[in-house]
Amino acid sequence: MRGFLAPAALAMNVIDSALFAREQRELSGTLAVSSLTRLHDQLADQSGSVEWELQGGVDKIERPWLSLALKGQLRLVCQRCLKPMDWPFATEALLTQFSDEAKLDEAEEQDEELEGMLVDPALDVEALIEEEVILAVPFAPMHDHCGGTEGATEAGKKPNPFAVLAGLKTRKAE
Ligand SMILES: [Zn+2]
């Protein structure tokens, strides 16, 4: 990937959320972690990408929904030793759409499992992805064993010393 923003990276995915659902559309792509700007404060560095898959559909009682599956890896900062830690993740969210806030609140009260969103005729898919990644990131990420070979989840992978330095610089700047 190039460091400079290529036109493709700037192209926005904007959908009509209700129409997307009714037409049972599907959309997928890969988003560079560097473009998830609201996450940057929590990252040791901006390497990596997030694969995403968005699907639309309508439930039994005619409510449109969006399903968003995400898979990727972030480099978070361990809150115990303040060193970078690889954090692979995979999440899936099912968002039921409502035309107004009152209906959304009512439905969420009746069904604790339900995650609602308001119908959006110009939904920015990348903003939605960013929101879901933020929700998935642990509040206080920590290594299983600090000071050991980094990335217990990825055996054999040595930390990149430059990335470690970048992580330290980020912490100092705060
Ligand atoms: Zn640690």
Side-chain angles (χ1 to χ4, degrees):
M1 204 194 76
R2 279 181 244 169
F4 195 73
L5 276 182
L10 289 169
M12 284 212 304
N13 276 305
V14 175
I15 61 163
D16 178 326
S17 68
L19 189 69
F20 188 94
R22 272 188 227 108
E23 294 184 346
Q24 298 181 21
R25 282 196 231 162
E26 285 180 25
L27 203 59
S28 62
T30 305
L31 198 57
V33 169
S34 58
S35 65
L36 302 172
T37 51
R38 286 175 58 207
L39 264 171
H40 288 180
D41 285 355
Q42 286 165 274
L43 302 177
D45 66 55
Q46 299 168 16
S47 63
S49 58
V50 177
E51 285 173 50
W52 58 272
E53 222 178 279
L54 186 70
Q55 271 181 40
V58 177
D59 69 13
K60 279 178 283 186
I61 51 173
E62 298 294 310
R63 295 181 305 198
W65 52 258
L66 291 179
S67 156
L68 179 64
L70 302 174
K71 202 173 92 179
Q73 179 163 301
L74 302 178
R75 275 173 84 78
L76 302 176
V77 178
C78 170
Q79 295 304 296
R80 195 157 42 201
C81 68
L82 302 184
K83 290 191 173 136
M85 64 174 271
D86 288 332
W87 183 69
F89 71 99
T91 69
E92 198 166 350
L94 180 67
L95 302 162
T96 305
Q97 303 181 46
F98 296 88
S99 51
D100 65 70
E101 202 97 34
K103 282 182 193 152
L104 194 163
D105 289 345
E106 194 189 346
E108 280 189 333
E109 254 170 53
Q110 284 169 4
D111 181 355
E112 280 179 21
E113 306 271 287
L114 186 134
E115 269 192 273
M117 64 173 275
L118 289 176
V119 165
D120 188 342
L123 178 70
D124 178 346
V125 175
E126 293 185 5
L128 182 70
I129 292 166
E130 186 170 50
E131 185 68 34
E132 290 301 322
V133 176
I134 288 168
L135 287 173
V137 169
F139 176 69
M142 281 180 218
H143 290 118
D144 289 341
H145 304 285
C146 289
T149 43
E150 198 218 354
T153 45
E154 272 197 317
K157 194 180 169 189
K158 288 261 174 68
N160 172 345
F162 296 106
V164 173
L165 270 178
L168 291 174
K169 277 184 199 148
T170 310
R171 299 305 299 178
K172 273 184 198 155
E174 276 175 13

